[in-house]
Amino acid sequence: MRSRRDDYSESTRAALVKSAVRLFTERGYAGTSLDEIAKRARVTKGALYHHFSGKQAVFEAAFDEVESDVKGRLEKILSGPEAPWDRALNGLREFIASCLDPAYQRLALQEAPVVMGWARWREAEDRYSFGLIKQALQDLIDAGEVLAVPVEVTSRLLFGALCSAATEIAHSTDQRKVGDEIEDVVVRLLNQVRRPAAGA
């Protein structure tokens, strides 16, 4: 059985992560202090250090929170009752919508590669995004929707394109327009490997 102390510890950590997400989104990594994160969460700095070793550890927890939220929504779509092609397109639209979210933009796209280092950020993105892309592509092939392309290589290409697209959206002055353009281009590219009978 869980104790009250366990519940309190979990709620304290959740409050700190929530506070960190908001502050890192508003001010960025460099502009946010641990004192501010603790104050906004209404806990002591000692309580913060009970859960996290330092500022980077807090950031990585905030990053995981944002990425897990996006991954959860995408997993729900990609495991839905629709046909694989429709699920893939709906997942693409949800990913683009996520790229319009300020927290995802700031933490996952702008700050994380610098704070975590490119290699570690790429490893994390593989865990969150790449697996979903790979599974969606495999589902399309298994359903006969697309040609039997090499799954690993094609998934890497799609993953790279979507990462670049996300960055393009984040830095655009007209993000919704760029998001619509990216959706159109990616759908056109997917149609190039779609079986003629499936698209008829």
Side-chain angles (χ1 to χ4, degrees):
M1 292 180 63
R2 291 175 58 84
S3 67
R4 288 185 178 180
R5 177 174 291 183
D6 290 334
D7 290 337
Y8 177 75
S9 178
E10 187 175 297
S11 65
T12 298
R13 187 183 189 282
L16 285 165
V17 172
K18 183 178 180 181
S19 170
V21 169
R22 293 186 66 178
L23 286 168
F24 286 137
T25 300
E26 293 169 5
R27 305 179 189 178
Y29 183 79
T32 300
S33 70
L34 291 179
D35 288 321
E36 291 171 316
I37 292 171
K39 182 178 179 180
R40 192 161 194 165
R42 297 183 179 180
V43 303
T44 65
K45 196 172 180 180
L48 184 151
Y49 277 114
H50 175 74
H51 292 279
F52 303 103
S53 60
K55 187 175 176 181
Q56 181 163 337
V58 177
F59 177 85
E60 291 187 14
F63 168 83
D64 285 340
E65 179 75 12
V66 171
E67 283 283 10
S68 294
D69 182 57
V70 173
K71 182 182 180 183
R73 295 200 303 271
L74 289 173
E75 284 179 330
K76 185 176 180 179
I77 290 171
L78 294 175
S79 62
E82 297 83 6
W85 181 260
D86 294 328
R87 292 202 303 266
L89 295 188
N90 290 337
L92 171 64
R93 294 184 186 106
E94 179 59 38
F95 176 76
I96 291 173
S98 297
C99 293
L100 299 174
D101 176 65
Y104 187 78
Q105 285 185 7
R106 191 70 183 262
L107 274 71
L109 303 178
Q110 297 173 359
E111 298 280 355
V114 177
V115 177
M116 298 168 65
W118 189 88
R120 190 167 182 182
W121 170 74
R122 177 64 181 269
E123 180 183 343
E125 286 298 326
D126 278 6
R127 186 171 69 252
Y128 284 113
S129 305
F130 178 70
L132 293 176
I133 293 170
K134 187 175 179 180
Q135 184 59 56
L137 179 60
Q138 187 65 62
D139 289 346
L140 289 171
I141 293 172
D142 292 344
E145 290 277 3
V146 301
L147 301 173
V149 293
V151 174
E152 183 75 21
V153 172
T154 307
S155 297
R156 284 287 173 196
L157 290 172
L158 286 170
F159 176 62
L162 289 173
C163 285
S164 296
T167 303
E168 189 69 22
I169 292 171
H171 290 90
S172 172
T173 56
D174 192 345
Q175 295 181 352
R176 292 195 177 279
K177 179 184 177 183
V178 172
D180 290 341
E181 291 173 345
I182 287 170
E183 178 184 336
D184 179 64
V185 170
V186 174
V187 171
R188 287 171 183 259
L189 290 173
L190 288 174
N191 271 310
Q192 296 302 306
V193 294
R194 194 176 188 193
R195 288 184 181 278

